[in-house]
Amino acid sequence: MKGKRVVLFTLACLVVTTVCGDHSRSYASERLRDRNTNQGVPLGDAGDLSIDAILEPNYASALAGYREQGLQPAAQPDIVIDAARYTAFGGAKPASDTVDGQTALVWDKATNWIEWTVEVPEDGLYNLSARYYPMAGKRLPMQRDLLIDGKSPFREAQRLYFFRNWVDRGDPEKNNQGDDVRPKQVEQPLWMEQPIADGNGLYPEPFQFHLTAGKHVFRMNFLAETMAIDRLALTSPATVPSYAEAKQAFEGQGFAPAEDVSVKVQAENNPNKSDPTIRREANGDPLMEPASDGRIRLNAFGDWRWRKGGQKAAWTFEVPKDGLYKIGLKVGQWWGDGLPSYRQILIDGQVPYKEMELYPFEYSRSWQLETLHTADPGTGKEEPMLVPLKAGAHTITLVAEVGPYQAVAEALTADTQKLSDLYRRIIMVTGPTPDPNFEYELGKKVPELVTDLKAIADDLAVQMNVLRELSEKEPSTVSSLRMMNHTFERMVANPDSIPRQLSELSNSQTSLSTLLTGLQNVPLVLDYLLIGAPDTRDPKVKSNIWQKSVSTVKNFVASFTKDYTGVGSVYGKDGKTASVAGEGEGPVLEVWVSRGKEWAEIMKEMAEEEFTPETGIRINVNTLPAGQLNSGSVNTLLLAASSGKAPDVATGVDAHLPVEFAIRDATVDLSQFPDYPEVSKRFLPGALIPFQYNGGSYALPETQDFNVLVYRKDVLGELGVSVPQTWDDAYALLPVLQQNGMQMYYPPTSLGFMPFLYQNGGEFYKDGGRKSGLDSPEAFQAFTEWTELYTNYKFPVNANFFNRFRTGEMPVGIADYLTYVQLSTAAPELVGRWGVAPSPGHQKPDGSIDRTAGGNVQSVAIFKQSQHQKEAWEFLKWWTSTERQTQFGQELEALLGVEARWNTANVEAFTQLPWPEDDLKALTDQWKYYKEQPYVLGGYFTSRNIDNAWNRVVLGGTNVRESLEQGIKDINKELAAKQKEFGFAPD
């Protein structure tokens, strides 16, 4: 065993060294690849970054290698490659078609890859560009993987982004409260020429590729979304001149400063955008244009949503005469605690000066007018960077860039990975809960422990200095890094103290990951752009105390006439209010939404665009915090129903509430509507179970949670094990994990009991829900299996799975939707290192695997107090339809990003949302076995007593059968009491 650990230690060290280093694959990576191939470890398909992709050197390393070798840009004309003249392909043959008047190659997912062969006449560095047209799809950027002569040139080439073009669908309309209504984001496809570059804003220049003279094969693999390609082109990398160099050139051409010209472009006025999440925003500063004056005015652009590298926006303007112009931007940059945000600035598609490749917008708590400027190389004095423009239309583009934070982020990513590996090596010796009084002699038992810790501490000190130089003041990021640096230095000085500080190592890794995410956020908000003559006087942009006071008074006065309870236009009960459908009377539905305002705004906009014109039914939308609507000490729905003021429709309702209200004759039986059977086919049959009671059905599913297996590809690859398909596989995996100080996670709640119960053939109730069904042999077997996870197999009874998954302590576990989203958005260091698979199940005699499990469903219901029940049913049918759920999910993700991905319960709509292909396959495989727990009179006592029975066995050591029988007795007692109370049982 000791020898095996040494081998594992060495292998782990080799893998991490390869990941963090700047050289090509080592023996460890080849060994890992062999394991992936020979043992079938599913470590990623074409739709996901593989382990091999992570082991590639990054572009910064490749660029440094070019410089060391003295490689120069190729000095020759452009080489144009007709996309239709490919030399090989995989899958279906790509089709040629006419796209927007241009004959081009249309590449969809049926074609796995396409190769082009090109003859290069000269050694040197080349840029690669593509002319493409985005085709209809899931609204994501088109994504491809690039190989040159069968090899990936660097890590970032594993996922290339070809962005779409987005615009506002017109100007904002005003609702009947006088507030601006944000226009919908629509795609405006067009032919675009794009150099192959980093889509995450990590590098300001297009990628350079070293090619030798002769034939080369370029292969692109399909990753996501259909696109049309007209041509590819190899070009010599252009050198961008500094302002001083360019100034001499345009002065020699006779350009003179323009006079008496000032062009103002309102930033919110519908620029072209690469990402629909960057949009118009509202700002209440009194000097905004236009001012809000007590209402919501969408008078700014960008803000926090314009924070991700690679997001760009372009504005068109006209100048009346030839000349030299200065460019000013009214900006707000009050994020980052002192660190600047960076933008690349292009004029007519080109970066005019080197200084504009990464232009910093300094931190300030107030609005500022930033005139693009640089320091004179001779005097050091700042001067505006004048841009020569000819009379006519021009375009200015701003691209969010991570800029100098890229090197810091790369270093911190490597430190995080080193720390994760170091932590795993330590717990292999100490276990996850070391004895504080035992001397483990880690300095001897963990190879290179002190050396690795010292290297991490030293690197943190280097990154602190870099951030200090970039900032006008010491940001909080530096303070956090300093604390971690001191912690590691103390550990280096006294290695015997490390077991007592194990939690600090784990916390440090989490903190580093959080800092890493923050560093790559570069937000900026714009009010307007000014293109004017050099002698134009700059306007005042910072409001004073008097102006702010006047604005406050206006807001106060407006509060007496404005309805703050609703979203968008608010209609009276008589419906006599102008709407998108025109003037007139009509029914008005009160709809309560148990979600955030953005969710409600999209629902309201969709309803007024489609539902109201089609049906004549208007809706008022009100938002309530989820805790108030569904649970807690005060249930708003219960209070509203008791006082006779229940809404017509409630959305986002927890699964148990519709039946809870149905028992009290407060919700409408939807099965009474003749088209209910057809509508119910939109959902999984198992998702409808909680809403069925006494022969009726009292709600429709709206969202549906899921439990899937998530696993660390890198860790399982190091251990040489496969992803478990059955619980027997999981039990076989546990010794390997535990021998290496790791664990598997399974949620210790009553929901965790459900898969074991259903997979063993048990049910929660019998006799039509009158008695507990947990007294069956199948239920006893299920309860025994479930509790033995914790008593025999030592699964943790309490753990922060998200954090421990990141550290590698728990490389395998069952995760819900929230954890999945967290891993997708808040763990950047794990990109490509984790995957999703269906949950383990029980193998049946025919060899198939039963994975039956449930989750949490939220619903939409109609209340009996409604005077418009038929109209409310029309709304439910419209809202839960495939088209509306797909549109809502797309709009929501366009507005808020992937962290708001809509887990709709509509099966067809779920498959049409932009889930990663691999994840979607795993999720849909799991959904085939979806089955929820029924809800009956007194059913709340079932989950409560299952938890109590689990506590008695796992925490109290009670006999399994005795504990379960006690729980069954308590459940049946409560069921009988409730049946008696509501007249379903004799006295």
Side-chain angles (χ1 to χ4, degrees):
M1 185 61 66
K2 182 176 180 181
K4 183 177 180 180
R5 288 184 178 178
V6 171
V7 171
L8 289 170
F9 296 161
T10 306
L11 181 58
C13 294
L14 286 170
V15 171
V16 172
T17 302
T18 306
V19 170
C20 301
D22 293 337
H23 44 78
S24 59
R25 292 189 186 94
S26 66
Y27 170 76
S29 67
E30 298 301 330
R31 181 74 174 276
L32 181 57
R33 170 183 282 178
D34 292 341
R35 284 178 171 177
N36 298 345
T37 303
N38 298 331
Q39 299 194 24
V41 180
L43 297 179
D45 299 323
D48 193 7
L49 283 173
S50 66
I51 293 297
D52 288 332
I54 299 167
L55 294 172
E56 296 291 348
N58 63 7
Y59 178 65
S61 302
L63 200 58
Y66 297 160
R67 291 168 181 160
E68 288 179 6
Q69 299 173 51
L71 299 176
Q72 298 297 320
Q76 66 157 60
D78 298 350
I79 303 172
V80 178
I81 308 165
D82 184 349
R85 302 189 67 176
Y86 52 84
T87 52
F89 62 89
K93 183 178 179 179
S96 293
D97 201 352
T98 301
V99 180
D100 195 27
Q102 178 78 42
T103 301
L105 193 71
V106 178
W107 185 1
D108 60 21
K109 66 179 180 180
T111 304
N112 300 325
W113 53 267
I114 302 177
E115 285 184 353
W116 295 270
T117 301
V118 60
E119 182 79 30
V120 176
E122 180 181 325
D123 291 4
L125 299 176
Y126 292 82
N127 292 145
L128 179 65
S129 64
R131 188 168 184 266
Y132 71 95
Y133 187 97
M135 306 295 286
K138 294 184 178 181
R139 298 159 59 106
L140 292 170
M142 288 67 69
Q143 300 171 40
R144 299 295 185 269
D145 169 19
L146 176 65
L147 300 175
I148 300 177
D149 299 327
K151 297 180 180 178
S152 176
F154 36 79
R155 188 191 313 160
E156 290 81 356
Q158 298 279 350
R159 191 169 293 270
L160 303 175
Y161 295 89
F162 298 88
F163 292 103
R164 299 178 182 271
N165 184 56
W166 297 90
V167 294
D168 294 345
R169 195 186 62 183
D171 295 327
E173 297 181 356
K174 288 184 172 53
N175 59 32
N176 62 15
Q177 303 295 300
D179 295 331
D180 285 352
V181 177
R182 183 174 288 108
K184 182 183 293 186
Q185 304 299 295
V186 295
E187 185 181 0
Q188 191 178 78
L190 70 162
W191 281 103
M192 290 178 276
E193 185 88 27
Q194 174 181 306
I196 302 299
D198 180 68
N200 296 307
L202 299 178
Y203 308 97
E205 299 174 342
F207 290 145
Q208 296 182 25
F209 304 93
H210 176 225
L211 300 176
T212 57
K215 285 188 177 181
H216 293 276
V217 177
F218 290 79
R219 173 189 282 200
M220 285 190 182
N221 295 312
F222 183 96
L223 297 183
E225 296 289 84
T226 303
M227 63 190 293
I229 306 178
D230 173 27
R231 64 172 182 260
L232 304 172
L234 287 172
T235 60
S236 180
T239 301
V240 180
S242 67
Y243 178 67
E245 294 168 341
K247 184 178 180 182
Q248 294 177 359
F250 63 64
E251 285 179 348
Q253 295 170 8
F255 273 95
E259 296 180 355
D260 300 324
V261 177
S262 181
V263 178
K264 180 180 287 188
V265 180
Q266 294 295 333
E268 70 274 11
N269 281 353
N270 208 6
N272 289 280
K273 303 168 291 187
S274 65
D275 189 331
T277 62
I278 47 176
R279 60 184 196 181
R280 299 173 187 251
E281 300 289 350
N283 189 283
D285 188 271
L287 291 185
M288 291 296 294
E289 296 183 6
S292 59
D293 290 332
R295 303 295 176 184
I296 295 176
R297 292 286 173 266
L298 299 174
N299 50 12
F301 177 83
D303 211 273
W304 176 247
R305 301 192 191 282
W306 194 13
R307 69 186 184 278
K308 297 178 181 178
Q311 292 177 321
K312 61 184 176 183
W315 294 264
T316 300
F317 63 92
E318 289 191 14
V319 293
K321 60 179 78 171
D322 297 356
L324 297 173
Y325 292 84
K326 70 175 182 180
I327 298 176
L329 301 92
K330 182 182 176 184
V331 300
Q333 204 296 84
W334 33 75
W335 299 273
D337 192 28
L339 292 169
S341 284
Y342 290 85
R343 292 293 181 274
Q344 183 172 110
I345 302 170
L346 300 91
I347 305 296
D348 297 330
Q350 301 293 326
V351 179
Y353 315 127
K354 193 70 177 177
E355 292 86 345
M356 290 190 185
E357 277 191 336
L358 285 176
Y359 191 88
F361 290 88
E362 301 296 340
Y363 173 87
S364 174
R365 295 188 177 183
S366 305
W367 285 96
Q368 52 187 318
L369 186 68
E370 178 71 21
T371 299
L372 302 183
H373 64 276
T374 187
D376 185 279
T379 64
K381 184 179 178 181
E382 290 186 352
E383 61 174 331
M385 289 189 286
L386 304 181
V387 178
L389 298 174
K390 292 191 175 182
H394 297 273
T395 301
I396 181 170
T397 305
L398 271 67
V399 186
E401 296 283 350
V402 176
Y405 306 131
Q406 183 275 333
V408 179
E410 190 74 26
L412 293 182
T413 299
D415 290 337
T416 304
Q417 293 162 2
K418 289 177 185 176
L419 198 57
S420 175
D421 176 71
L422 192 62
Y423 185 87
R424 295 204 306 272
R425 288 155 54 195
I426 291 171
I427 63 175
M428 286 178 187
V429 177
T430 67
T433 55
D435 184 345
N437 299 315
F438 186 80
E439 295 296 331
Y440 289 94
E441 298 182 329
L442 291 178
K444 297 178 182 178
K445 295 180 180 179
V446 181
E448 307 297 329
L449 169 64
V450 175
T451 303
D452 290 348
L453 267 178
K454 183 70 167 62
I456 295 173
D458 291 346
D459 187 66
L460 293 184
V462 171
Q463 307 315 319
M464 286 160 50
N465 291 333
V466 172
L467 293 175
R468 282 196 196 98
E469 292 175 1
L470 295 173
S471 177
E472 294 183 351
K473 64 168 190 172
E474 182 170 297
S476 57
T477 303
V478 172
S479 301
S480 299
L481 292 176
R482 183 187 298 111
M483 292 176 62
M484 284 183 269
N485 171 267
H486 291 166
T487 298
F488 297 152
E489 286 183 342
R490 288 197 307 271
M491 292 180 179
V492 168
N494 184 11
D496 291 337
S497 69
I498 294 176
R500 294 186 291 274
Q501 302 180 70
L502 205 54
S503 61
E504 293 190 37
L505 277 178
S506 175
N507 293 338
S508 295
Q509 183 184 346
T510 301
S511 298
L512 275 178
S513 299
T514 303
L515 293 177
L516 178 63
T517 303
L519 274 178
Q520 296 180 80
N521 290 331
V522 284
L524 190 72
V525 59
L526 296 180
D527 184 8
Y528 53 75
L529 301 86
L530 286 175
I531 299 93
D535 59 355
T536 303
R537 187 174 180 180
D538 293 337
K540 183 180 178 182
V541 299
K542 188 180 296 187
S543 55
N544 56 39
I545 187 65
W546 168 250
Q547 292 165 326
K548 291 179 180 179
S549 299
V550 171
S551 178
T552 301
V553 171
K554 290 181 178 179
N555 289 332
F556 176 72
V557 172
S559 69
F560 289 96
T561 58
K562 187 174 180 180
D563 187 340
Y564 289 92
T565 62
V567 173
S569 295
V570 179
Y571 305 118
K573 286 292 184 181
D574 57 2
K576 294 181 179 179
T577 303
S579 78
V580 294
E583 299 281 350
E585 296 186 12
V588 177
L589 298 178
E590 296 293 328
V591 179
W592 287 9
V593 179
S594 178
R595 293 187 176 88
K597 189 176 181 182
E598 280 100 345
W599 282 254
E601 285 177 342
I602 297 174
M603 177 191 285
K604 175 74 169 181
E605 291 165 13
M606 288 175 57
E608 296 204 337
E609 288 174 358
E610 302 167 10
F611 180 68
T612 300
E614 292 171 4
T615 65
I617 304 168
R618 298 172 174 82
I619 69 168
N620 286 332
V621 175
N622 295 273
T623 60
L624 290 92
Q628 289 187 16
L629 187 61
N630 288 315
S631 59
S633 58
V634 178
N635 186 309
T636 307
L637 273 179
L638 179 61
L639 295 178
S642 301
S643 60
K645 296 182 178 180
D648 297 287
V649 175
T651 73
V653 180
D654 280 352
H656 70 281
L657 282 181
V659 167
E660 193 74 63
F661 280 100
I663 292 169
R664 294 157 178 84
D665 197 32
T667 47
V668 173
D669 178 9
L670 304 182
S671 63
Q672 68 177 324
F673 297 107
D675 49 355
Y676 172 79
E678 187 65 28
V679 173
S680 66
K681 293 178 182 178
R682 301 170 179 175
F683 315 101
L684 294 170
L688 296 167
I689 291 174
F691 314 124
Q692 296 168 349
Y693 169 72
N694 200 28
S697 187
Y698 292 88
L700 292 178
E702 187 182 29
T703 64
Q704 184 172 313
D705 204 345
F706 48 76
N707 287 318
V708 289
L709 185 83
V710 296
Y711 60 95
R712 287 282 297 269
K713 298 178 182 179
D714 52 350
V715 177
L716 296 193
E718 289 175 18
L719 298 177
V721 295
S722 299
V723 176
Q725 298 297 315
T726 66
W727 278 107
D728 287 338
D729 294 340
Y731 301 146
L733 171 65
L734 290 176
V736 180
L737 295 178
Q738 292 167 356
Q739 287 166 11
N740 291 278
M742 303 174 191
Q743 296 173 308
M744 182 175 174
Y745 179 76
Y746 191 81
T749 65
S750 57
L751 285 176
F753 173 62
M754 191 187 307
F756 289 99
L757 178 65
Y758 286 148
Q759 291 169 24
N760 278 283
E763 293 291 342
F764 281 96
Y765 303 104
K766 61 184 181 181
D767 296 343
R770 293 175 181 270
K771 291 184 179 180
S772 174
L774 302 183
D775 57 357
S776 66
E778 294 83 4
F780 174 72
Q781 175 64 25
F783 187 73
T784 302
E785 279 191 54
W786 181 43
T787 54
E788 282 182 348
L789 292 182
Y790 308 94
T791 57
N792 289 358
Y793 294 102
K794 303 305 178 185
F795 276 58
V797 298
N798 185 30
N800 186 326
F801 176 59
F802 173 66
N803 284 338
R804 297 181 74 175
F805 186 78
R806 293 170 77 173
T807 62
E809 295 172 79
M810 291 181 175
V812 185
I814 304 299
D816 59 7
Y817 170 70
L818 178 60
T819 305
Y820 171 86
V821 171
Q822 279 185 302
L823 290 170
S824 300
T825 59
E829 77 282 5
L830 295 184
V831 171
R833 296 175 179 271
W834 66 285
V836 175
S839 296
H842 287 74
Q843 192 165 19
K844 296 195 288 188
D846 62 0
S848 62
I849 300 175
D850 184 355
R851 305 179 191 271
T852 305
N856 286 319
V857 176
Q858 288 192 318
S859 63
V860 53
I862 302 173
F863 281 80
K864 270 205 169 178
Q865 292 179 15
S866 172
Q867 301 299 310
H868 307 291
Q869 294 181 16
K870 290 183 179 180
E871 290 83 357
W873 173 240
E874 292 299 319
F875 177 77
L876 260 64
K877 291 192 297 181
W878 173 84
W879 175 239
T880 61
S881 67
T882 298
E883 296 77 9
R884 304 303 167 261
Q885 286 293 290
T886 301
Q887 180 185 352
F888 181 78
Q890 292 173 341
E891 292 285 342
L892 187 64
E893 190 160 345
L895 191 67
L896 300 176
V898 67
E899 54 267 32
R901 181 165 292 155
W902 183 240
N903 55 325
T904 177
N906 183 302
V907 178
E908 188 177 350
F910 185 86
T911 62
Q912 294 179 14
L913 292 175
W915 300 90
E917 290 293 332
D918 288 348
D919 295 1
L920 180 61
K921 183 180 184 305
L923 295 174
T924 51
D925 286 349
Q926 183 63 54
W927 268 27
K928 296 175 185 176
Y929 304 93
Y930 197 89
K931 184 179 179 181
E932 267 295 332
Q933 177 180 345
Y935 196 82
V936 300
L937 270 170
Y940 57 87
F941 235 56
T942 297
S943 58
R944 185 181 305 176
N945 278 281
I946 290 174
D947 284 336
N948 291 341
W950 182 91
N951 288 332
R952 287 191 293 266
V953 172
V954 177
L955 304 181
T958 304
N959 177 271
V960 173
R961 184 174 294 279
E962 290 179 6
S963 182
L964 182 60
E965 288 178 349
Q966 178 63 48
I968 295 168
K969 180 179 178 182
D970 293 340
I971 292 170
N972 282 330
K973 182 179 179 181
E974 184 67 15
L975 293 180
K978 284 298 177 182
Q979 291 161 18
K980 179 179 177 181
E981 178 183 345
F982 286 91
F984 283 86
D987 225 348

